Amino acid sequence: MYTNTVMDHFTNPRNVGEIENADGMGEVGNVKCGDIMRMYLKIEGDIIVDVKFKTFGCGSAVASSSISTELIKGKTIKEALALTNREVITALGGLPPVKVHCSVLAEQAIKAAILDYANKNNLVFEELAGFNPDELDHEH
Amino acid sequence: MTKKLYLDYSATTPVKKEVLDAMIPYFTEVFGNPSSIHKFGRDAKAIVASSREKIANLINSRADEVYFTGGGSESDNWAIKGVMRANKKKGNHIITTKIEHHAVLHTCDYLYREGYEITYLDVDEYGMISLEDLENAITDKTVLISIMFINNEVGTMEPIKEIGNIARKHGVIFHTDAVQALGNVKIDVDDFNIDLLSMSSHKIYGPKGIGALYIRKGIKIHNLIEGGAQEKKRRAGTENVAGIVGFAKAAEIAGENLDAHIEKLVYLRERLVKGIMDNIDYVKYNGHPTKRHPGNVNVCFEFIEGESLLLSLDLVGIAGSSGSACTSGSLDPSHVLLALGLTHEIAHGSLRLTIGDFTTEEDVDYVIKELQPIVHRLRIMSPLYDKVIKGGK
């Protein structure tokens, strides 16, 4: 059902945990759907120097979270905002169709954390125009 | 991974060696078509007849009231569609429950779209129906009550004898899906006033693809599968002779060992439940505490999701199952757990471990030992648990 890469990230998830006094923190998903993803960011200049996550969800949700942290660590905010769920899926070597929503959740969690950073620092990123984590339609 | 521990006996069981040995000649030596008039056919027909008797013995019915099918789902479909279509003059109302197997629920949904009326009874927090609710739901249009013997997810055993009494009192036909009950509890169709009873071979250490439907003599029922004259013209199709022989052998073994089987399963089940509850916090034990399948353990671990738990258990060689949404591909967790009143939050963390004939004390202790660190690891990753340890719950 899952690729070796998904199982590797599920079994040995990278960057699990939280960052004290994170510069940005975002949480998406809901309990009813069975997936909640929370991302913490440490940002210096416009570089994401550290990222951690906590996830309640299936194997695919954990793996999507884990690989997303690897994909944006050391990247600029603009580069992180450009990450799409398709790239998450590709990096995982594929996801079953019914699990694609997990990769979407990872993309949204990153955006939510950056939005939090932007709000705290009075910054505006055009990539986040219209993005509101509280109004996301999270469906499988 | 060296350990391979199977704890999913409610999903299916391995075929016992004695069962397989009994089947093998019926693939290669006694291979005739039971409908053929020659010796090859007559030999096959004879073994089908004696097999029918063995299955009848397990449920205390007459042999000519047992009809072979392709499995439990077909039996459920036949019972419900067949009875409703044959009794249209009497009425169009079915009473069932919210926790039935999909073979019953989807069949009822199908009939609803054809204009039949369905009442889905609620269950209490243990998964038990209310007999009062059942009796109140009966109208002069009620033709059929279809209530499962034992729930396949949480293991709760319904008050079958009392349901049978109510059905008989009101002149309503009573069908029960006994797929999980067969070979795990005593079944007596006469004592329990059961009119139709669905069975499946592969849940009792027999082969897959063969089942049976008990139909009490005199019950009006339409055919589900038309064709030849097999099964007294009620279920067409060349008989799965080897499968029937295997099913019968499995039934025979189950009947001979029933009391010892139940005693062993209950002992291991209680050991497993105690081990889980003593070692892990925030766990909910689902189903009825005593009136349940002897080998069923269904628990919900708060703050984690069932599929993650299953994957982690699989990595240490333990095979279980879950009613979590992520294993079914749907948005909602198990309809059974929700019907018991569990919140989505808790229901997502469900785990079903079902014990069988080949389970040992050592197996149970291994599960207890492995479960605790897995649950801990997943909870450490969970933002829901985070809120609890920080005092947010």
Side-chain angles (χ1 to χ4, degrees), chain B residues 26 30-52 68 229-231 239 241 244:
Chain B
Y26 295 93
V30 189
F31 60 86
N33 187 325
S35 298
S36 300
I37 200 164
H38 48 58
K39 174 88 167 91
F40 293 89
R42 294 199 309 273
D43 287 349
K45 188 172 185 174
I47 194 69
V48 169
S50 62
S51 296
R52 203 184 306 275
F68 290 111
Q230 294 88 356
E231 299 295 292
E239 292 88 342
V241 178
I244 287 169

Side-chain angles (χ1 to χ4, degrees), chain A residues 1-2 7 10-11 13 16 18 27 31-34 36 38 40 54-59 62 98-99 140, chain B residues 303-305 307-308 311-312 315 326 329-331 344-345 348 377-378 380-384 386-387 390:
Chain A
M1 173 178 165
Y2 287 140
M7 286 308 294
F10 171 70
T11 314
V16 173
E18 66 180 85
E27 184 174 299
V31 168
K32 192 172 180 192
C33 295
I36 297 177
R38 188 191 291 168
Y40 300 88
K54 288 207 170 190
T55 288
F56 162 79
C58 61
V62 172
V98 73
K99 302 290 186 177
H140 285 228
Chain B
F303 322 119
I304 59 177
E305 197 278 332
E307 192 216 71
S308 291
L311 285 174
S312 302
L315 289 167
C326 273
S330 73
L331 188 66
H344 281 70
E345 184 175 348
H348 277 300
R377 184 182 88 88
L378 294 173
I380 289 299
M381 242 192 295
S382 167
L384 297 176
D386 198 38
K387 287 175 185 165
K390 288 177 179 168

Side-chain angles (χ1 to χ4, degrees), chain A:
Chain A
M1 173 178 165
Y2 287 140
T3 65
N4 289 339
T5 309
V6 172
M7 286 308 294
D8 177 35
H9 277 269
F10 171 70
T11 314
N12 305 293
R14 283 63 144 175
N15 305 308
V16 173
E18 66 180 85
I19 297 173
E20 291 288 329
N21 302 314
D23 296 311
M25 194 275 278
E27 184 174 299
V28 295
N30 64 61
V31 168
K32 192 172 180 192
C33 295
D35 297 299
I36 297 177
M37 211 175 276
R38 188 191 291 168
M39 289 267 180
Y40 300 88
L41 301 176
K42 193 74 185 167
I43 297 171
E44 290 179 5
D46 71 338
I47 303 292
I48 297 170
V49 295
D50 198 10
V51 51
K52 300 257 188 232
F53 81 89
K54 288 207 170 190
T55 288
F56 162 79
C58 61
S60 168
V62 172
S64 295
S65 312
S66 171
I67 206 153
S68 299
T69 61
E70 289 208 314
L71 289 169
I72 64 168
K73 200 170 183 177
K75 300 284 173 62
T76 65
I77 292 170
K78 292 276 184 190
E79 286 169 334
L81 285 171
L83 182 76
T84 67
N85 80 296
R86 300 310 312 176
E87 289 172 283
V88 172
I89 293 172
T90 302
L92 288 171
L95 282 175
V98 73
K99 302 290 186 177
V100 166
H101 71 278
C102 297
S103 64
V104 174
L105 209 61
E107 179 191 320
Q108 291 173 341
I110 291 166
K111 284 190 167 71
I114 294 174
L115 180 65
D116 180 49
Y117 168 73
N119 290 341
K120 284 176 179 168
N121 294 279
N122 295 318
L123 300 170
V124 175
F125 298 108
E126 60 186 32
E127 295 88 341
L128 293 173
F131 176 75
N132 183 348
D134 297 329
E135 293 180 355
L136 291 174
D137 183 20
H138 175 58
E139 287 189 0
H140 285 228

